Amino acid sequence: GAPLMDRTVCVQLWLLLLTLSGTGGTLVDVLVDRYYIPKVCPREVQTEDFIRYHFNGSFHADGKHFDSSHDRGKAFISQVGLGRLITGMDRGLQGMCVNERRRITVPPHLAYGSIGAGGVIPPDAVLVYEVLLLDIWNTEDVVQIRSYSKPATCNRTTAASDFIRYHYNGTLLSGEAFDSSYQRNGTYDTYLGQGDLIKGMDEGLLGMCVGERRVIIVPPFLAYGETGYGALVPPQATLVFDVLMVDFFHPSDDLTVQVKELPKGCIRRTVSGDFIRYHYNGTFQDGTAFDSSYKRNSTYNTYIGMGYVIKGMDKALIGLCMGEKRTITIPPHLAYGEDGGFIPGSAVLVFGIHVVDFHNPKDPVEIRVTHKPQECDVISKTDDWIQYRYNCSLMDGTLLYSSDQLDLPSVTTLGANNVIWGLEEGLSGMCVGERREVFVPPHWGHGENGAAGVPGSAVLHFELELVDLQKGVPEGFMFVWTGDSPDPLFPAMDLNGDKLVPLEEFTTFIMLQVKEGRGRLRPGVDADSIIKDMFNNQDLNKDGKIAENELYVTEDDKAERDEL
């Protein structure tokens, strides 16, 4: 509207009009004193607008009140400029802003004239109205939408029949709050476009992204209309909603999977019945975190495809490679549903997962030969003594142990249960200089409980190299013949022919058999100690010498001691 006169000028004009009146002059128009104008005024009252306002009415002559909307306890509602108000108010309300305060002085010929009104307004009364404008709308109004914050990426926006979860602050056009989801500490959850909301919100919430913020202004006839809403929303009130879209989905939605990182050389993918160990970060669609395995410093371990996790995750964990990273979005009907549990009901869940390893309870030890010498005549078997180098890692590359970290070389006797079964399997059948990669599932390793430094149910990756190999002897023996033994044996042992074999002579005989390849001592043990034990075992009378009759024992004795 056109700019109004300065307040001082208006007052001076009014005094002039009063002077004219006292000398037979006539008041020609209303006097408007705009004594409070809000800084922001997006809209001014025009003819045919509907308005809602509070007022106090008094007589100019003595200041006595004759009417008040405050006293009646509800604002006055009317349409401007169509004769539904006295002419002076129809004119005095023009160009007014919401939250503006005016003093409107109306001369009698623009009020109730020389007749007055119902015994309340006397004839020729000058009326003064103190007005506070609360609301403006027009039948041509539409829902106004202003988005003031949007996420950087938005793959999908809300559509009719979606189920949405949003936060809001609701105010009247005057700024008076009437409701807030934040105060209830919970989102407002409903279907969109199916009549569950007021018409203006069904329209205003369409096309939103998760994380988007909007101001939605709804005229009364698209809100609660003439009846209002209880004590919260008065009749014919324009509503202003400040909305944050938290979450939405469609009941027909399936889970969505986005592969973030796929390792090279994936030769096997997860199948139903596998046991998997994975890390995850769990968030809602707006990015708010609700759970993380990383914060617990422990993987989540479970069987897949067997109902041990929510349906969407059970499905999403099929067909993955070790080391793969995925983002998985799961609608609530494949997650925790309407009830939610420890998360809000009807929440869409977003998981960023990293597969550490997986195995099947039927998996064998997997062996990959990475280097094999051209000559490989002798291979490691049960009872052999071996020396080897190794690195032991988790499947994500985390190094657990290495022989390079040890002061002494890594040695073992195969079949003696000195190492886990899977490593025993991986070290068997190797020749000196051979290198292998060996993958040991937990049932061939440290099982569900793990070990010092080894997580429970972990698949282990060994890099092996066989450094030395000494052929072994059966369990319970200290020496074996690799061919036929001398027959008769005692004369062969009695090198000087004196019918007695002391320790020195016995040692010389045994070492000669080993040197010439006719016999083998238990490897990995000091030779002198073994030979002394063998000698003591044959020296029945403990006189320090073996006689011919001590070399041969009865069948009962054989069960009690090792035989040469």
Side-chain angles (χ1 to χ4, degrees):
L4 298 176
M5 290 181 288
D6 181 85
R7 182 182 175 194
T8 304
V9 175
C10 290
V11 172
Q12 290 173 346
L13 177 60
W14 175 241
L15 292 174
L16 176 62
L17 289 172
L18 288 177
T19 302
L20 291 173
S21 177
T23 59
T26 303
L27 297 178
V28 295
D29 209 344
V30 297
L31 178 66
V32 176
D33 181 7
R34 302 180 73 180
Y35 61 89
Y36 175 76
I37 302 174
K39 292 182 179 179
V40 178
C41 182
R43 178 175 180 176
E44 296 178 348
V45 175
Q46 298 179 10
T47 298
E48 297 188 4
D49 280 347
F50 287 85
I51 61 173
R52 186 166 55 86
Y53 62 97
H54 270 303
F55 73 91
N56 286 316
S58 62
F59 299 115
H60 180 268
D62 56 11
K64 182 179 178 181
H65 283 261
F66 63 83
D67 195 7
S68 172
S69 65
H70 297 282
D71 293 344
R72 292 200 296 269
K74 63 179 182 179
F76 191 78
I77 300 170
S78 186
Q79 195 172 14
V80 177
L82 298 181
R84 297 179 181 178
L85 298 167
I86 60 174
T87 304
M89 285 297 282
D90 258 348
R91 295 181 185 180
L93 292 167
Q94 292 283 341
M96 200 168 183
C97 305
V98 170
N99 286 328
E100 181 178 343
R101 294 177 182 268
R102 285 187 178 184
R103 182 177 295 109
I104 303 172
T105 305
V106 183
H109 67 280
L110 297 178
Y112 297 98
S114 60
I115 299 175
V120 176
I121 307 295
D124 298 318
V126 178
L127 306 181
V128 179
Y129 291 90
E130 297 281 350
V131 177
L132 168 62
L133 188 64
L134 301 175
D135 205 341
I136 312 172
W137 76 95
N138 194 287
T139 54
E140 302 298 321
D141 285 350
V142 295
V143 175
Q144 298 178 54
I145 299 170
R146 179 173 61 86
S147 293
Y148 63 90
S149 176
K150 280 189 175 183
T153 58
C154 180
N155 298 323
R156 175 180 166 187
T157 60
T158 54
S161 73
D162 280 344
F163 190 89
I164 61 175
R165 297 174 53 240
Y166 64 97
H167 270 302
Y168 70 90
N169 285 316
T171 64
L172 304 179
L173 201 58
S174 61
E176 179 184 351
F178 67 86
D179 195 13
S180 173
S181 64
Y182 295 98
Q183 290 181 354
R184 294 193 298 273
N185 197 32
T187 55
Y188 191 86
D189 307 342
T190 187
Y191 284 96
L192 181 61
Q194 296 188 0
D196 297 324
L197 294 165
I198 58 174
K199 291 181 179 179
M201 284 299 277
D202 253 350
E203 180 182 339
L205 292 168
L206 289 172
M208 289 192 76
C209 308
V210 169
E212 182 177 345
R213 294 179 181 269
R214 277 185 182 180
V215 172
I216 302 171
I217 302 176
V218 183
F221 53 88
L222 295 176
Y224 295 103
E226 296 180 1
T227 59
Y229 187 77
L232 297 176
V233 179
Q236 301 289 37
T238 301
L239 305 183
V240 181
F241 293 92
D242 191 322
V243 174
L244 166 63
M245 185 59 62
V246 174
D247 199 358
F248 68 88
F249 69 95
H250 193 273
S252 64
D253 284 350
D254 198 355
L255 64 92
T256 60
V257 175
Q258 183 180 8
V259 177
K260 292 292 188 180
E261 186 176 320
L262 185 64
K264 295 180 180 179
C266 177
I267 60 174
R268 176 181 166 187
R269 295 176 180 268
T270 53
V271 298
S272 181
D274 282 346
F275 189 89
I276 187 171
R277 297 194 316 124
Y278 64 98
H279 270 302
Y280 71 88
N281 285 317
T283 68
F284 301 120
Q285 281 199 99
D286 65 353
T288 302
F290 66 85
D291 195 13
S292 174
S293 64
Y294 294 97
K295 289 185 177 179
R296 295 191 297 272
N297 197 31
S298 175
T299 56
Y300 191 86
N301 308 333
T302 186
Y303 286 96
I304 57 175
M306 300 172 67
Y308 291 108
V309 291
I310 56 176
K311 290 181 180 178
M313 186 62 80
D314 232 2
K315 185 176 180 180
L317 291 174
I318 300 295
L320 286 88
C321 303
M322 285 192 190
E324 185 171 344
K325 294 181 178 180
R326 287 186 176 185
T327 298
I328 301 166
T329 304
I330 303 177
H333 47 276
L334 295 176
Y336 295 100
E338 295 181 5
D339 296 332
F342 74 101
I343 62 170
S346 299
V348 178
L349 306 183
V350 181
F351 290 93
I353 67 169
H354 176 204
V355 180
V356 175
D357 65 34
F358 61 86
H359 72 278
N360 193 280
K362 298 179 181 178
D363 281 349
V365 175
E366 181 184 351
I367 298 173
R368 301 176 191 172
V369 177
T370 57
H371 173 73
K372 198 163 189 174
Q374 292 183 347
E375 295 184 6
C376 185
D377 299 327
V378 180
I379 61 173
S380 55
K381 295 181 180 179
T382 300
D383 298 323
D384 288 349
W385 179 89
I386 60 172
Q387 180 183 343
Y388 61 98
R389 294 181 63 249
Y390 73 91
N391 290 319
C392 175
S393 305
L394 299 178
M395 294 304 296
D396 63 357
T398 302
L399 181 66
L400 299 179
Y401 302 107
S402 173
S403 59
D404 296 336
Q405 300 169 338
L406 305 176
D407 296 330
L408 298 174
S410 297
V411 297
T412 191
T413 299
L414 293 179
N417 293 325
N418 294 327
V419 295
I420 57 173
W421 295 344
L423 181 56
E424 181 100 17
E425 184 82 3
L427 289 167
S428 298
M430 293 184 76
C431 51
V432 173
E434 183 176 340
R435 293 192 290 271
R436 289 180 174 182
E437 283 189 279
V438 178
F439 301 89
V440 180
H443 48 278
W444 285 81
H446 295 285
E448 295 181 2
N449 297 325
V454 180
S457 299
V459 178
L460 302 180
H461 174 207
F462 285 93
E463 297 172 290
L464 302 176
E465 179 183 2
L466 190 62
V467 176
D468 193 10
L469 166 64
Q470 296 181 29
K471 299 306 293 181
V473 300
E475 184 67 29
F477 285 80
M478 294 177 285
F479 173 87
V480 294
W481 296 101
T482 55
D484 293 334
S485 61
D487 188 18
L489 178 58
F490 187 80
M493 291 173 53
D494 185 13
L495 299 179
N496 61 9
D498 64 354
K499 305 298 183 181
L500 293 173
V501 179
L503 176 60
E504 294 78 5
E505 193 173 14
F506 183 79
T507 300
T508 301
F509 170 75
I510 293 298
M511 294 304 295
L512 181 63
Q513 309 310 304
V514 172
K515 181 178 179 180
E516 295 179 353
R518 292 190 293 269
R520 185 186 307 145
L521 288 167
R522 173 170 290 280
V525 184
D526 179 66
D528 289 338
S529 298
I530 292 179
I531 294 173
K532 187 174 182 180
D533 286 345
M534 292 172 62
F535 179 84
N536 291 336
N537 205 34
Q538 299 295 152
D539 183 16
L540 300 181
N541 61 11
K542 307 304 178 188
D543 64 352
K545 297 176 182 178
I546 301 174
E548 187 171 4
N549 66 324
E550 290 178 302
L551 191 61
Y552 302 101
V553 297
T554 65
E555 290 298 322
D556 292 338
D557 290 333
K558 287 183 180 180
E560 297 178 5
R561 60 191 180 94
D562 297 333
E563 289 303 311
L564 181 61

